[in-house]
Structure formats: structure tokens, C-alpha cells
Amino acid sequence: MTGADEPGTARREVFALLEHVNTVDEFFGRLADDVRWTLFGKHPLAGSYRGREEFVPATIGKVRPLLDGGLRFRIRGLYGGGAVTVAEMDGVATAKDGVPYDPFYVWVCRFEGETIVEVNAYIDSAAVNDILERLSPE
């Protein structure tokens, strides 16, 4: 995509933070304190979250301990312009039992300036259910 349909350099740099295990948390630091994050799917992490302090522990915080070496994302595409950027991504991780954890993601992110204020996120429910059923202590 080109022109108004392509996110600018600043947005690309924000999403590039997801491509490295050691900068993923920096990406989540770009969320507004009161971000509205809705995670769609048929899995235990699905739901609506209000605020970074609610969202991160309830979702990433439940999956991260099940992984060996952390989670990063491979960006397949970034689309949009103006206040909205859509990211298509694959997770890149290995579960503690050696099985790849590689769900697909689509995040529709609404920005105010360079701060993410709302996300509608879609994730591969089968991959989430699989890792939680196999490895979650709950």
C-alpha cells in the first residue's frame, strides 16, 4: 500500500518493537494507561480490558510463563493511516515443553498521537487454548 493507506515511519517503529523479545514490553509501554483492549476469540483470555495494568497481567502475563525464551512477533503487514493502524502478525515462541507457539494475530489499533488508546485484537483461539490446556497450572 502507498500514500494515505500506509502507516508512517513513526508507527512502523512502534510496531517494530514487537519483533524482538527484549523490546516487546517497550511496545506495551506505548499503551495509554486507560487503553481499551478487546481480545476476541473463544479462549480463556478473551474479553474486554480497561487499562494496561488490567490487560497485560490477564493476557500476556498468563502466557509468558509458559514460554521458553519469551514471545516476539513477526509483522506480516501494517495497514492504515491517520488514527488507525492494523497489524497482521505471527507469534514466534517456543513453549516450555518444546512445542512451537505461533498464533496469528490481527490488531486494529487506534492512536491519539503516538499513544495507543484502543485495540480490537484477534488471535488464533486454537493456539491459545492449546498452550493453556497443556501447560497452565490452573
Side-chain angles (χ1 to χ4, degrees):
M1 296 190 153
T2 59
D5 293 329
E6 185 173 312
T9 302
R11 294 278 171 85
R12 289 186 180 283
E13 290 172 358
V14 168
F15 284 94
L17 295 169
L18 293 167
E19 295 182 311
H20 305 283
V21 171
N22 59 342
T23 56
V24 167
D25 287 339
E26 191 176 333
F27 173 87
F28 290 108
R30 303 289 177 102
L31 302 177
D33 289 340
D34 64 345
V35 66
R36 289 186 308 180
W37 193 294
T38 303
L39 184 55
F40 293 91
K42 295 184 184 222
H43 53 82
L45 307 182
S48 293
Y49 300 93
R50 184 63 180 208
R52 182 177 47 223
E53 296 302 319
E54 180 182 4
F55 164 72
V56 172
T59 57
I60 297 158
K62 291 188 177 181
V63 173
R64 194 176 270 164
L66 309 178
L67 303 175
D68 186 20
L71 173 65
R72 68 181 186 86
F73 299 80
R74 184 175 66 238
I75 308 296
R76 289 183 167 267
L78 294 176
Y79 312 97
V84 176
T85 299
V86 177
E88 293 179 320
M89 304 174 290
D90 293 314
V92 179
T94 302
K96 292 207 178 229
D97 62 1
V99 175
Y101 180 68
D102 55 359
F104 70 84
Y105 300 83
V106 175
W107 293 351
V108 181
C109 303
R110 187 170 62 82
F111 286 76
E112 288 181 3
E114 292 307 315
T115 302
I116 302 166
V117 296
E118 183 176 13
V119 179
N120 287 326
Y122 304 85
I123 186 173
D124 179 354
S125 293
V128 175
N129 284 323
D130 178 60
I131 196 168
L132 292 176
E133 289 172 9
R134 279 194 347 265
L135 299 176
S136 184
E138 298 174 7

